[in-house]
Amino acid sequence: MPLTAFLAAGSLLAPAAVELPRLPEIRRDPQVTYVDRSGAWLGTRGGRYAPPVDLAKLPAHVPAAFVAIEDRRFYSHGGFDPVGIGRAVAVGIGEGRATQGASTITQQLARNLFLSADRTVERKARELMLAVQLEQAYSKRQILGLYLSRVYFSSGAYGIEAAARRYFNKPAAQLTVKEAAILAGVLKSPTNYNPAERRQQALQRSNLVLDAMVETGAITPAQRARAKAETPRIWTTAPTAPAQYFIDWIDGEVRRLAGTPRQDMVVETTLDLPMEAAAAEAAKAAVAGPGVQGPAQAALVALDGTGRVRVMVGGTDYARGPYNRAASAQRQAGSAWKPFVYLAALEAGWTPDMLVIDEPVQIGAWSPRNYTEAYLGEITLERAVAQSVNTVAARTADEVGRDRVAAAARRLGVASPINTDPAMALGTTLVSPLQMTQAYAAFANGGDRVAPYGIERIRTTGGAVLYQRKPQAPTPVIENPALSDLNRMMRAAVTSGTGTRAAVPGRDIAGKTGTTSDYRDAWFCGYTGGFAACAWMGRDDNAPLGRITGGGPPAELWRTFMTTAVKRIPAQAIPAGRPAPQPPEPEPEPEPVEAASEASAEPLD
């Protein structure tokens, strides 16, 4: 190295030392970590950076990979590499700006903590001085732990823990030698060596890291050979991406319950991550299926009988579109609305065996038509439900009273404005999948209204409980025989009606299909004992899907999801519900009592 270059480097350090007499405070905004009902990691919000990594909890090969490729003299230098710095300054003087890196891990950390990314000689000098101060204030292990918690690995992953979960769906403590080498290789250029987007470049770069690890003695040649032969699974899409819709939904509630985070917090949620993953895969498959036109979307919500949100898939690609269709989209429900019509009728004394007539009907200026364009004549009410006969539903709502239908839907949890024009019987009211699932949950749990919720407990990372949900008393909203009769009719829709594709062998399943005008929305909402779910398909621009009905892809989406879900919930028949309260027995007439004679009367005192 030319002597003039080294002297130039020293001349830049002197003013930097005056400007930075002491090390600035290291700051980090608190993070909120979300976990599923089993403690599995779902995601982190709040501050960008995690707490410093505890190297004792990592396999030795993980930090060794970064030291080998980024700064192999890390454990021996005092914060900077004089040879590398001199070379960088010499080139910078020649070109009038800093063009080479040669930064040690400590310098990179100093830049990350305190400086901008400007590539100037002055900034480089300040970086070097801060690196020296860091070395004086912290141990090598502390510096490396801070570094590994803050470096950027692309795809929104800051720190080794976030990167391990993003690309390999595992904590950093479980990284293999090959996986550690892949992540260490990313840092040279997070864009060019992003494992999810540039797999081959990332793998080639990891081989250089493995070679460096052999040269530094971190691994043996035999370990390198085994690592190079390994083919790790790299997740092109973040494995917890579907759960981000759910986190968005509860994030504001967390702050309402626990306040603005002043320390790291953990939110224990109701979500079931394996169920969520199954629903997300089924949703992607459904929109990619035959006959689906245009950029279709799908959403699915599942609740248990007490209102816990076990699944919330708000779309098929959170990274491209974080809009939560499960909770926020307002769409027509189509025939999935009809259970509210028939519930009102059953509560008014109708029965599943009652005979009704499927024939042309005129209500004011409106004349509903059946999907099949045919009429079945005299049929039972149960068959009308199973076959989703529009004429019967419209006439039923008109005779029972559309205000009663609206009241039934409202009682079960539908919060949207409900229209009461004649077409409301066929599901013209705008509702979200979450609202529909909430209503169907009352059919699944024996007649109790539920309030969907996603937060069980909020605590600090130190264990202090900031919020704990308390058990809620049930709120009965449906009585027998109406509930049992409705369940009977909804079972028929799955066993012999429009929803046969939703049947799950060996399980007691009931539900209802829904398809709106011009095939703009398609639904299947169904339930088994203590568990309800609604699947919706449509387009964000409200254009037609093609000839997609609720009994087609949505029912198949629902069944595919439920086939996995039922393995994670107790097998339970749909409960019959509580009997209707009986009127009190009339009190018997009191027996006449003969007046006692004065001689036999007991004295009063």
Side-chain angles (χ1 to χ4, degrees), residues 208-302:
L208 296 179
V209 177
L210 292 170
D211 292 341
M213 293 176 74
V214 171
E215 292 169 7
T216 58
I219 59 174
T220 66
Q223 288 175 303
R224 173 179 59 186
R226 288 194 296 271
K228 286 186 175 182
E230 180 185 339
T231 307
R233 178 180 181 182
I234 299 173
W235 292 68
T236 54
T237 301
T240 58
Q244 305 314 302
Y245 294 108
F246 171 77
I247 293 178
D248 287 348
W249 181 64
I250 63 172
D251 195 53
E253 182 73 357
V254 169
R255 281 155 178 73
R256 187 185 72 80
L257 294 172
T260 302
R262 292 182 172 81
Q263 55 187 316
D264 291 337
M265 299 192 306
V266 177
V267 180
E268 299 173 7
T269 76
T270 62
L271 201 76
D272 188 306
L273 188 55
M275 279 193 195
E276 180 84 358
E281 288 300 313
K284 287 182 181 179
V287 300
V292 180
Q293 293 181 1
Q297 278 292 341
L300 190 144
V301 180

Side-chain angles (χ1 to χ4, degrees), residues 61 65 175-182 210 213 219 223 227 230:
H61 58 256
L175 289 171
T176 66
V177 173
K178 179 73 169 184
E179 291 163 346
I182 291 172
L210 292 170
M213 293 176 74
I219 59 174
Q223 288 175 303
E230 180 185 339

Side-chain angles (χ1 to χ4, degrees), residues 215-562:
E215 292 169 7
T216 58
I219 59 174
T220 66
Q223 288 175 303
R224 173 179 59 186
R226 288 194 296 271
K228 286 186 175 182
E230 180 185 339
T231 307
R233 178 180 181 182
I234 299 173
W235 292 68
T236 54
T237 301
T240 58
Q244 305 314 302
Y245 294 108
F246 171 77
I247 293 178
D248 287 348
W249 181 64
I250 63 172
D251 195 53
E253 182 73 357
V254 169
R255 281 155 178 73
R256 187 185 72 80
L257 294 172
T260 302
R262 292 182 172 81
Q263 55 187 316
D264 291 337
M265 299 192 306
V266 177
V267 180
E268 299 173 7
T269 76
T270 62
L271 201 76
D272 188 306
L273 188 55
M275 279 193 195
E276 180 84 358
E281 288 300 313
K284 287 182 181 179
V287 300
V292 180
Q293 293 181 1
Q297 278 292 341
L300 190 144
V301 180
L303 305 178
D304 70 13
T306 61
R308 296 182 185 92
V309 177
R310 300 286 287 273
V311 169
M312 181 179 281
V313 173
T316 57
D317 191 336
Y318 180 85
R320 291 187 177 182
Y323 176 59
N324 189 342
R325 299 158 189 85
S328 301
Q330 298 289 305
R331 309 291 295 221
Q332 290 187 354
S335 293
W337 180 268
K338 289 177 183 175
F340 309 138
V341 174
Y342 292 110
L343 175 61
L346 293 168
E347 290 177 335
W350 297 35
T351 68
D353 296 319
M354 174 185 271
L355 294 177
V356 292
I357 300 176
D358 175 18
E359 62 183 358
V361 61
Q362 186 84 21
I363 303 174
W366 179 61
S367 181
R369 296 182 301 168
N370 291 330
Y371 173 74
T372 62
E373 301 286 349
Y375 300 97
L376 300 175
E378 190 175 71
I379 57 175
T380 64
L381 195 67
E382 179 177 319
R383 189 178 179 194
V385 174
Q387 299 300 325
S388 199
V389 178
N390 287 340
T391 60
V392 173
R395 178 175 284 163
T396 300
D398 191 54
E399 293 181 8
V400 171
R402 289 183 290 277
D403 287 340
R404 283 191 176 184
V405 175
R410 184 79 67 218
R411 198 168 73 235
L412 270 58
V414 175
S416 298
I418 300 175
N419 67 71
T420 54
D421 59 37
M424 72 90 76
L426 306 187
T428 56
T429 293
L430 300 178
V431 290
S432 69
L434 178 60
Q435 287 185 57
M436 290 296 287
T437 311
Q438 176 182 0
Y440 273 65
F443 306 148
N445 68 11
D448 293 334
R449 174 172 172 154
V450 303
Y453 70 95
I455 302 169
E456 295 283 11
R457 187 164 71 146
I458 305 172
R459 58 179 170 83
T460 68
T461 52
V465 176
L466 304 176
Y467 166 79
Q468 176 74 56
R469 182 177 175 82
K470 297 178 181 178
Q472 305 293 308
T475 304
V477 289
I478 316 175
E479 296 173 348
N480 273 329
L483 178 59
S484 293
D485 287 345
L486 184 66
N487 286 338
R488 169 185 159 182
M489 296 193 296
M490 300 260 270
R491 283 190 186 96
V494 174
T495 58
S496 61
T498 59
T500 54
R501 294 187 187 181
V504 178
R507 289 291 179 136
D508 186 11
I509 301 293
K512 188 70 191 72
T513 57
T515 310
T516 64
S517 300
D518 299 323
Y519 304 96
R520 298 176 189 276
D521 301 272
W523 298 73
F524 185 83
C525 291
Y527 53 99
T528 187
F531 193 83
C534 280
W536 165 87
M537 290 180 61
R539 289 179 51 168
D540 289 339
D541 60 6
N542 207 32
L545 281 170
R547 292 185 67 85
I548 299 299
T549 67
E556 294 169 354
L557 158 58
W558 193 90
R559 184 197 66 227
T560 301
F561 159 69
M562 283 294 289

Side-chain angles (χ1 to χ4, degrees), residues 50-63:
V53 173
D54 183 354
L55 298 187
K57 296 181 179 179
L58 295 179
H61 58 256
V62 173

